[in-house]
Amino acid sequence: AQTVTQSQPEMSVQEAETVTLSCTYDTSESDYYLFWYKQPPSRQMILVIRQEAYKQQNATENRFSVNFQKAAKSFSLKISDSQLGDAAMYFCAYRSGGSNYKLTFGKGTLLTVNP
Amino acid sequence: GAGVSQSPSNKVTEKGKDVELRCDPISGHTALYWYRQSLGQGLEFLIYFQGNSAPDKSGLPSDRFSAERTGGSVSTLTIQRTQQEDSAVYLCASSLGHSVKVETQYFGPGTRLLVL
Protein backbone atom coordinates (compact mmCIF):
# COMPACT_ATOMS: atom_id res chain seq x y z
CA ALA A 1 0.00 0.00 0.00
CA GLN A 2 1.11 3.50 -0.71
CA THR A 3 1.91 5.88 2.10
CA VAL A 4 2.42 9.62 2.11
CA THR A 5 4.39 11.37 4.83
CA GLN A 6 4.45 15.05 5.66
CA SER A 7 7.04 15.50 8.37
CA GLN A 8 6.22 19.12 9.20
CA PRO A 9 2.98 19.45 11.17
CA GLU A 10 3.36 23.24 11.19
CA MET A 11 5.35 25.82 9.29
CA SER A 12 5.44 29.59 9.33
CA VAL A 13 6.70 32.15 6.85
CA GLN A 14 6.92 35.90 6.65
CA GLU A 15 4.82 37.61 4.05
CA ALA A 16 6.70 37.94 0.74
CA GLU A 17 9.21 35.26 1.74
CA THR A 18 9.58 31.74 0.36
CA VAL A 19 8.67 28.54 2.15
CA THR A 20 9.07 24.88 1.25
CA LEU A 21 6.76 22.14 2.47
CA SER A 22 8.07 18.59 2.49
CA CYS A 23 6.40 15.40 1.33
CA THR A 24 7.74 11.91 0.86
CA TYR A 25 5.89 8.87 -0.36
CA ASP A 26 6.37 5.17 -0.60
CA THR A 27 5.26 3.16 -3.62
CA SER A 28 6.36 0.29 -5.80
CA GLU A 29 4.50 1.65 -8.81
CA SER A 30 6.11 3.50 -11.68
CA ASP A 31 2.97 5.24 -12.95
CA TYR A 32 1.36 7.61 -10.52
CA TYR A 33 0.38 11.21 -9.88
CA LEU A 34 1.15 13.54 -7.03
CA PHE A 35 -0.87 16.49 -5.85
CA TRP A 36 -0.76 19.33 -3.39
CA TYR A 37 -4.10 20.46 -2.03
CA LYS A 38 -4.77 23.52 0.10
CA GLN A 39 -7.49 23.54 2.76
CA PRO A 40 -8.32 26.97 4.20
CA PRO A 41 -10.56 27.34 7.28
CA SER A 42 -13.58 27.13 4.96
CA ARG A 43 -12.72 23.38 4.66
CA GLN A 44 -12.87 23.46 0.86
CA MET A 45 -9.96 21.46 -0.54
CA ILE A 46 -8.41 23.33 -3.46
CA LEU A 47 -5.94 21.82 -5.89
CA VAL A 48 -2.70 23.79 -5.87
CA ILE A 49 -0.53 21.80 -8.23
CA ARG A 50 -0.09 18.31 -9.65
CA GLN A 51 2.75 16.29 -11.09
CA GLU A 52 2.75 13.26 -13.35
CA ALA A 53 5.45 10.81 -12.33
CA TYR A 54 6.50 10.20 -15.94
CA LYS A 55 7.33 13.87 -16.41
CA GLN A 56 10.81 14.89 -15.41
CA GLN A 57 10.05 18.59 -15.52
CA ASN A 58 8.86 20.03 -12.24
CA ALA A 59 5.35 21.47 -12.32
CA THR A 60 4.83 25.18 -11.69
CA GLU A 61 1.69 27.24 -11.16
CA ASN A 62 2.42 30.93 -10.71
CA ARG A 63 4.00 31.29 -7.25
CA PHE A 64 3.78 27.55 -6.56
CA SER A 65 6.32 25.05 -7.77
CA VAL A 66 7.38 21.54 -6.86
CA ASN A 67 10.67 19.77 -6.52
CA PHE A 68 9.93 16.24 -7.67
CA GLN A 69 12.70 13.77 -6.94
CA LYS A 70 11.40 10.44 -8.21
CA ALA A 71 14.32 8.32 -7.08
CA ALA A 72 14.15 9.78 -3.60
CA LYS A 73 10.32 9.63 -3.64
CA SER A 74 10.19 13.24 -2.58
CA PHE A 75 7.66 15.87 -3.68
CA SER A 76 8.14 19.22 -1.96
CA LEU A 77 6.08 22.35 -2.55
CA LYS A 78 7.70 25.75 -2.77
CA ILE A 79 5.60 28.85 -2.26
CA SER A 80 7.29 32.05 -3.41
CA ASP A 81 6.32 35.58 -2.41
CA SER A 82 4.04 34.21 0.31
CA GLN A 83 0.76 36.03 0.80
CA LEU A 84 -1.60 36.16 3.75
CA GLY A 85 -4.13 34.21 1.70
CA ASP A 86 -1.73 31.29 1.47
CA ALA A 87 -2.32 30.51 5.13
CA ALA A 88 -4.01 27.11 5.22
CA MET A 89 -3.50 23.41 5.77
CA TYR A 90 -1.58 21.85 2.90
CA PHE A 91 -1.98 18.20 1.99
CA CYS A 92 0.22 16.13 -0.23
CA ALA A 93 -1.63 13.34 -2.04
CA TYR A 94 -0.79 10.31 -4.18
CA ARG A 95 -2.87 8.65 -6.86
CA SER A 96 -2.00 5.48 -8.69
CA GLY A 97 -1.86 5.67 -12.47
CA GLY A 98 -3.75 2.43 -12.78
CA SER A 99 -7.33 1.74 -11.84
CA ASN A 100 -6.77 2.48 -8.16
CA TYR A 101 -7.98 6.05 -8.46
CA LYS A 102 -8.41 7.01 -4.82
CA LEU A 103 -6.20 9.68 -3.32
CA THR A 104 -3.92 8.78 -0.44
CA PHE A 105 -3.18 11.84 1.68
CA GLY A 106 -0.47 12.87 4.08
CA LYS A 107 -1.51 14.23 7.45
CA GLY A 108 -1.00 17.81 6.37
CA THR A 109 1.13 20.83 7.17
CA LEU A 110 -0.43 23.90 8.74
CA LEU A 111 1.09 26.99 7.15
CA THR A 112 0.96 30.32 8.95
CA VAL A 113 1.85 33.50 7.09
CA ASN A 114 3.03 36.35 9.31
CA PRO A 115 2.52 39.95 8.18
CA GLY B 1 -20.32 26.69 -12.99
CA ALA B 2 -21.39 25.30 -9.65
CA GLY B 3 -18.91 23.26 -7.69
CA VAL B 4 -19.47 20.22 -5.51
CA SER B 5 -22.05 20.93 -2.84
CA GLN B 6 -22.70 19.05 0.38
CA SER B 7 -25.44 19.20 2.95
CA PRO B 8 -25.83 19.71 5.77
CA SER B 9 -22.81 21.84 6.50
CA ASN B 10 -22.85 20.73 10.12
CA LYS B 11 -24.68 17.93 11.86
CA VAL B 12 -24.93 17.18 15.55
CA THR B 13 -26.47 13.88 16.52
CA GLU B 14 -26.77 11.60 19.49
CA LYS B 15 -24.93 8.34 19.76
CA GLY B 16 -26.95 5.53 18.26
CA LYS B 17 -28.88 7.67 15.78
CA ASP B 18 -28.64 7.29 12.00
CA VAL B 19 -27.45 10.17 9.83
CA GLU B 20 -27.51 10.88 6.10
CA LEU B 21 -25.02 13.13 4.39
CA ARG B 22 -25.66 14.39 0.88
CA CYS B 23 -23.33 15.25 -1.99
CA ASP B 24 -24.16 16.95 -5.29
CA PRO B 25 -21.25 16.52 -7.71
CA ILE B 26 -20.31 18.86 -10.49
CA SER B 27 -22.63 18.42 -13.43
CA GLY B 28 -21.20 15.98 -15.96
CA HIS B 29 -18.78 14.37 -13.54
CA THR B 30 -19.23 10.61 -13.54
CA ALA B 31 -16.82 9.81 -10.73
CA LEU B 32 -17.69 10.56 -7.10
CA TYR B 33 -15.64 9.95 -3.97
CA TRP B 34 -16.25 10.14 -0.24
CA TYR B 35 -13.43 10.82 2.22
CA ARG B 36 -13.37 11.20 5.97
CA GLN B 37 -11.18 13.74 7.72
CA SER B 38 -10.68 12.93 11.37
CA LEU B 39 -8.58 14.79 13.89
CA GLY B 40 -5.23 13.07 13.97
CA GLN B 41 -6.10 10.65 11.15
CA GLY B 42 -5.90 12.91 8.16
CA LEU B 43 -8.04 12.17 5.12
CA GLU B 44 -9.16 8.62 4.52
CA PHE B 45 -10.82 7.25 1.42
CA LEU B 46 -14.24 5.74 2.05
CA ILE B 47 -15.98 4.87 -1.21
CA TYR B 48 -15.84 5.56 -4.93
CA PHE B 49 -18.56 5.55 -7.60
CA GLN B 50 -17.87 5.51 -11.33
CA GLY B 51 -20.83 5.67 -13.66
CA ASN B 52 -22.93 2.51 -13.46
CA SER B 53 -20.09 0.32 -12.23
CA ALA B 54 -20.21 -1.34 -8.84
CA PRO B 55 -18.80 1.06 -6.26
CA ASP B 56 -15.45 0.51 -4.60
CA LYS B 57 -16.36 0.22 -0.92
CA SER B 58 -12.93 -0.82 0.26
CA GLY B 59 -12.49 2.21 2.51
CA LEU B 60 -15.70 1.92 4.51
CA PRO B 61 -14.68 1.37 8.15
CA SER B 62 -17.61 -0.81 9.18
CA ASP B 63 -20.93 -2.17 7.99
CA ARG B 64 -22.63 0.77 9.70
CA PHE B 65 -21.46 2.87 6.77
CA SER B 66 -23.14 2.72 3.40
CA ALA B 67 -23.52 4.96 0.40
CA GLU B 68 -25.61 5.11 -2.71
CA ARG B 69 -25.65 7.20 -5.82
CA THR B 70 -28.96 7.74 -7.54
CA GLY B 71 -29.15 8.36 -11.26
CA GLY B 72 -25.41 8.73 -11.50
CA SER B 73 -25.55 12.11 -9.79
CA VAL B 74 -26.44 12.81 -6.17
CA SER B 75 -24.89 10.58 -3.52
CA THR B 76 -25.93 9.89 0.05
CA LEU B 77 -23.60 8.57 2.73
CA THR B 78 -25.49 6.90 5.56
CA ILE B 79 -24.05 6.11 8.96
CA GLN B 80 -26.20 3.87 11.11
CA ARG B 81 -26.06 3.70 14.89
CA THR B 82 -23.53 6.49 15.06
CA GLN B 83 -20.63 6.25 17.49
CA GLN B 84 -18.52 9.05 18.93
CA GLU B 85 -15.55 7.92 16.84
CA ASP B 86 -17.61 8.74 13.73
CA SER B 87 -17.21 12.43 14.53
CA ALA B 88 -15.29 13.91 11.62
CA VAL B 89 -15.58 16.03 8.53
CA TYR B 90 -16.96 14.04 5.61
CA LEU B 91 -15.73 15.32 2.27
CA CYS B 92 -17.14 14.53 -1.13
CA ALA B 93 -15.26 14.97 -4.38
CA SER B 94 -16.08 14.47 -8.02
CA SER B 95 -14.08 14.16 -11.21
CA LEU B 96 -14.77 13.71 -14.90
CA GLY B 97 -14.20 9.96 -14.72
CA HIS B 98 -11.25 7.63 -14.66
CA SER B 99 -11.25 7.29 -18.41
CA VAL B 100 -9.46 10.60 -18.40
CA LYS B 101 -5.82 9.82 -17.78
CA VAL B 102 -4.99 12.86 -15.74
CA GLU B 103 -7.89 14.27 -13.86
CA THR B 104 -8.49 16.39 -10.84
CA GLN B 105 -10.81 15.62 -7.97
CA TYR B 106 -12.85 18.65 -7.00
CA PHE B 107 -13.93 18.74 -3.39
CA GLY B 108 -17.01 20.03 -1.66
CA PRO B 109 -16.92 22.02 1.60
CA GLY B 110 -17.65 18.95 3.67
CA THR B 111 -20.11 18.05 6.39
CA ARG B 112 -18.85 18.32 9.95
CA LEU B 113 -20.45 15.54 11.98
CA LEU B 114 -20.43 15.61 15.75
CA VAL B 115 -21.73 12.60 17.64
CA LEU B 116 -22.52 13.32 21.27
Side-chain angles (χ1 to χ4, degrees):
Chain A
Q2 293 79 27
T3 58
V4 178
T5 302
Q6 293 178 249
S7 59
Q8 306 153 317
E10 296 184 26
M11 290 283 284
S12 63
V13 63
Q14 290 296 124
E15 196 174 3
E17 297 291 307
T18 295
V19 65
T20 298
L21 307 184
S22 300
C23 173
T24 59
Y25 58 95
D26 188 24
T27 184
S28 59
E29 299 176 329
S30 59
D31 183 20
Y32 53 88
Y33 305 93
L34 297 165
F35 305 83
W36 278 98
Y37 277 89
K38 167 185 176 181
Q39 187 180 41
S42 67
R43 295 200 308 246
Q44 187 106 31
M45 296 278 281
I46 302 164
L47 179 68
V48 174
I49 199 166
R50 68 183 181 201
Q51 175 82 41
E52 294 86 346
Y54 61 85
K55 289 187 178 179
Q56 293 187 340
Q57 186 173 9
N58 289 325
T60 63
E61 287 288 341
N62 300 314
R63 297 183 295 106
F64 299 87
S65 62
V66 299
N67 184 4
F68 174 47
Q69 300 290 327
K70 191 171 183 178
K73 296 180 182 174
S74 171
F75 182 62
S76 60
L77 174 69
K78 185 171 82 170
I79 306 174
S80 304
D81 186 25
S82 297
Q83 301 176 0
L84 295 177
D86 295 334
M89 183 73 84
Y90 286 81
F91 291 95
C92 178
Y94 172 102
R95 176 184 173 248
S96 171
S99 60
N100 194 355
Y101 26 73
K102 67 181 182 183
L103 291 172
T104 300
F105 289 89
K107 292 193 181 298
T109 296
L110 180 62
L111 178 66
T112 302
V113 181
N114 301 310
Chain B
V4 177
S5 60
Q6 293 186 244
S7 61
S9 179
N10 296 283
K11 176 73 176 178
V12 180
T13 190
E14 294 178 349
K15 178 181 173 181
K17 300 280 190 182
D18 297 352
V19 296
E20 287 188 349
L21 313 179
R22 177 187 168 104
C23 172
D24 280 276
I26 294 173
S27 177
H29 281 193
T30 62
L32 187 146
Y33 313 77
W34 283 97
Y35 294 87
R36 179 170 69 174
Q37 186 174 19
S38 307
L39 194 63
Q41 293 294 322
L43 283 122
E44 305 168 280
F45 166 79
L46 296 178
I47 188 169
Y48 162 75
F49 295 91
Q50 170 55 48
N52 296 321
S53 301
D56 176 355
K57 306 178 181 180
S58 62
L60 294 179
S62 77
D63 58 8
R64 296 185 296 105
F65 289 72
S66 63
E68 63 177 21
R69 189 177 184 192
T70 54
S73 182
V74 171
S75 177
T76 302
L77 177 69
T78 301
I79 309 173
Q80 295 178 309
R81 305 181 302 281
T82 52
Q83 303 295 312
Q84 289 180 332
E85 60 263 29
D86 299 334
S87 297
V89 174
Y90 290 83
L91 292 166
C92 175
S94 71
S95 65
L96 281 169
H98 73 266
S99 61
V100 178
K101 183 67 171 174
V102 179
E103 59 181 49
T104 296
Q105 293 183 23
Y106 296 89
F107 284 79
T111 294
R112 183 181 297 279
L113 174 66
L114 178 61
V115 182
L116 301 176

